[in-house]
Amino acid sequence: MTDRLTSAASAPAVDLPQSRYLATAVPGPRSVALHRERQAQVSGGFGIVLPVFVEQADRGILQDVDGNRLIDFASGIAVTSIGASHPRVRERVAAQLEKFTHTCFMVTEYESFTRVARWLNEHTPGDFEKRTALFSTGAEAVENAVKIARSATGRGKVLVFDEAYHGRSLLTMAMTAKENPYRLNFGPFPAEVVRAVSANPLRPVAAQHDAGAVASAADVATAALASVEATLAEHGAQNFAAMVIEPIQGEGGFVVPAPGFLAGLRDLADRYGIVLVIDEIQAGMGRTGTLFASEHEGIAGDITLTAKALAGGLPLSAVTGRAELMDAVHAGGLGGTYAGNPLACEAALAVFEAFEDGCLLANARAIEAAAREVLEPLVSETDSVAEFRGRGAMLALEFADRGTLAPRADLAKEVSARCHAQGVLTLTCGTYGNVIRLLPPLVIGLDLFADGLQVLRQAILDVTAEDSVAAARSLTAEHSAASEHSVTAVSPSLG
Ligand code: PLZ
């Protein structure tokens, strides 16, 4: 085996104190100066959540160039699940660096590519013979899944869902639901992408229910499935190569589909000979407390996609699927210069080792329990936290007015800004931008996590209380304006 590690590489990893610390305002002066230079050099097309420049990262802490230690509730959007400086990743990548950085797997081979493929074939859901193809980004994995499904079925259409996110390349952008910022001004898009309803329990599009009655989760799933089947019929089910779905919709708002929906899609796919592609790019690799999120629903895709946390921060993605589908593609039809880069493959092998003893999955579940205890009561304590949801270390709070469910992106934004100012890096998401999501690294210490949760909870209590006061004030103002108006309106007749 090629596992020998150099002693230099075994030197202690970055070892940051696991506590929040603010040396300056956030962002501090050095970050502000570096951000100014960035704006002068980098395309304005890139957005930024928090304009802070990171110097070192370790487990739950990001240390910035001003000496601030921020609590990481983002993991680089679910990438650094085992931390951004895990010793195994550092050791394996450093050892590989001593040998070679690249050969191109389509030119000459290296064993780590095959070993990553083998692990994925053995661990992704589905008790059938599998093959894997490695690429670099999540979008590339999605694109290649579509290529493989088309090649295997001889069909063209792709079914995707409301609130879906699959990437920023031309095809995956067409598959993504949200217009701004992902699709805006970037069309025309590839044809043959058809969108069906999803089964969002809080905002059921398809559920038929009596006015005022809340649809049960089972109703939401049943109604959504009937609508999906109608969409398939409308476009000709026999024309669909693939249906692609995230087991928990990530960018769309951490939407956990109503129970039974994914199993229903599995049935539809079987009935119509459509390849079911489960996009586990954000939810997979331990994030939800199981290795793959589809395990919670007891289903297996014909193809499962992984990326993000797969290689601990190095760019690597994978398409893993039924051997007969994966081998249906003509030799030379799949590839890419950087596909399955050897440094990234070594990092993935380190990630697999880190998952071996089950502790990381237990951590994900402990993270959920801790967050639920602190955050779920906010649903009843405030008028505008509509839902606490998610699984494992993939959790979210949706802000919306009680009763009407009118989305409150303004509250999510303000709460996030206050967390950032206090050194807690939160992210927002959702079709309406009204969701705060928690994606802490699975290696975050529970004390540090608890500190971040308290900051978040207090920010929510403060912002929602201020909002209620402002709402009451404007109601009073409206009321007095209305009564003034009625006085002037009636005064002529009085006079
Ligand atoms: N599929 C389910 O979540 C990436 C996007 C961040 P890439 N999500 C984060 C942004 O604003 O660009 C993602 C995902 C799911 C596919 C992708 C795409 O993965 O590695 O970003 O291409």
Side-chain angles (χ1 to χ4, degrees):
M1 263 320 124
T2 51
D3 276 345
R4 200 173 50 80
L5 304 170
T6 66
S7 53
S10 309
V14 189
D15 189 16
L16 295 175
Q18 295 297 297
S19 58
R20 183 167 57 102
Y21 173 72
L22 296 185
T24 68
V26 179
R30 296 189 65 196
S31 276
V32 169
L34 288 170
H35 187 69
R36 210 171 290 130
E37 171 66 0
R38 163 210 159 122
Q39 283 173 314
Q41 306 300 339
V42 178
S43 160
F46 270 77
I48 180 71
V49 172
L50 179 61
V52 150
F53 283 72
V54 172
E55 203 161 60
Q56 289 190 319
D58 174 27
R59 289 163 286 169
I61 289 289
L62 301 170
Q63 182 166 287
D64 75 11
V65 291
D66 291 286
N68 299 305
R69 290 199 302 271
L70 314 177
I71 303 181
D72 185 8
F73 277 9
S75 299
I77 320 190
V79 171
T80 52
S81 288
I82 68 163
S85 55
H86 193 283
R88 292 300 297 175
V89 173
R90 294 174 67 251
E91 286 166 9
R92 277 197 168 274
V93 172
Q96 179 60 40
L97 260 179
E98 297 296 316
K99 297 173 194 159
F100 60 91
T101 57
H102 174 80
T103 70
C104 188
F105 195 71
M106 301 178 301
V107 178
T108 53
E109 300 163 297
Y110 39 91
E111 192 192 351
S112 55
F113 193 115
T114 314
R115 293 181 64 194
V116 172
R118 184 189 183 113
W119 190 94
L120 288 165
N121 293 340
E122 288 174 356
H123 289 82
T124 51
D127 192 13
F128 40 77
E129 196 182 340
K130 299 181 198 124
R131 299 282 186 275
T132 286
L134 299 180
F135 302 95
S136 305
T137 68
E140 252 188 306
V142 176
E143 294 249 359
N144 278 285
V146 172
K147 283 168 66 172
I148 291 162
R150 283 181 173 169
S151 182
T153 60
R155 303 170 176 185
K157 287 189 193 297
V158 180
L159 191 76
V160 294
F161 294 85
D162 285 342
E163 302 177 300
Y165 183 92
H166 298 294
R168 290 178 181 268
S169 65
L170 211 49
L171 176 61
T172 59
M173 196 171 34
M175 294 167 69
T176 290
K178 191 172 173 178
E179 181 71 5
N180 191 359
Y182 306 121
R183 301 158 52 102
L184 190 67
N185 302 328
F186 295 142
F189 299 109
E192 311 292 354
V193 176
V194 175
R195 194 170 306 283
V197 303
S198 57
N200 180 339
L202 185 68
R203 299 176 182 280
V205 178
Q208 306 281 320
H209 52 90
D210 299 334
V214 176
S216 76
D219 288 347
V220 172
T222 308
L225 286 166
S227 174
V228 171
E229 195 164 8
T231 303
L232 286 173
E234 200 177 305
H235 295 267
Q238 74 286 355
N239 296 323
F240 283 86
M243 55 170 89
V244 185
I245 187 143
E246 300 153 80
I248 295 180
Q249 292 177 306
E251 303 305 304
F254 279 31
V255 179
V256 184
F261 184 62
L262 293 177
L265 293 183
R266 178 68 274 177
D267 288 346
L268 286 174
D270 289 341
R271 195 161 346 130
Y272 296 112
I274 301 169
V275 176
L276 179 63
V277 179
I278 303 289
D279 179 345
E280 294 258 10
I281 288 167
Q282 187 154 170
M285 292 309 299
R287 178 52 53 188
T288 66
T290 51
L291 268 181
F292 297 94
S294 38
E295 293 170 40
H296 294 285
E297 295 289 320
I299 63 135
D302 301 302
I303 289 177
T304 297
L305 306 180
T306 47
K308 289 191 184 282
L310 176 60
L314 276 82
L316 186 70
S317 64
V319 181
T320 302
R322 289 182 184 277
E324 63 273 23
L325 295 175
M326 300 298 293
D327 287 339
V329 180
H330 56 281
L334 303 178
T337 307
Y338 293 116
N341 167 271
L343 297 169
C345 284
E346 287 295 331
L349 294 175
V351 169
F352 303 156
E353 287 163 5
F355 273 104
E356 252 162 34
D357 64 7
C359 285
L360 288 171
L361 297 181
N363 288 0
R365 295 191 290 267
I367 284 169
E368 176 177 348
R372 190 173 289 285
E373 195 181 324
V374 175
L375 300 178
E376 198 166 42
L378 290 165
V379 175
S380 51
E381 287 169 0
T382 70
D383 285 337
S384 35
V385 176
E387 197 171 54
F388 171 82
R389 60 174 176 252
R391 285 188 164 127
M394 185 171 187
L395 302 166
L397 291 156
E398 175 157 349
F399 291 83
D401 286 335
R402 187 182 298 284
T404 65
L405 279 187
R408 295 296 305 272
D410 56 332
L411 299 181
K413 214 173 145 201
E414 180 59 25
V415 168
S416 240
R418 291 192 192 187
C419 288
H420 295 171
Q422 292 173 82
V424 180
L425 177 56
T426 48
L427 297 175
T428 56
C429 64
T431 303
Y432 306 103
N434 63 328
V435 178
I436 289 188
R437 56 174 153 171
L438 273 59
L439 286 168
L442 307 183
V443 292
I444 194 170
L446 282 180
D447 288 347
L448 184 66
F449 186 55
D451 178 32
L453 286 177
Q454 282 308 331
V455 170
L456 173 60
R457 180 180 155 81
Q458 196 54 51
I460 293 171
L461 287 172
D462 293 347
V463 168
T464 53
E466 288 163 29
D467 180 65
S468 301
V469 170
R473 241 188 239 134
S474 78
L475 206 63
T476 322
E478 246 171 56
H479 201 260
S480 55
S483 43
E484 257 169 47
H485 185 252
S486 64
V487 168
T488 44
V490 294
S491 56
S493 65
L494 283 177

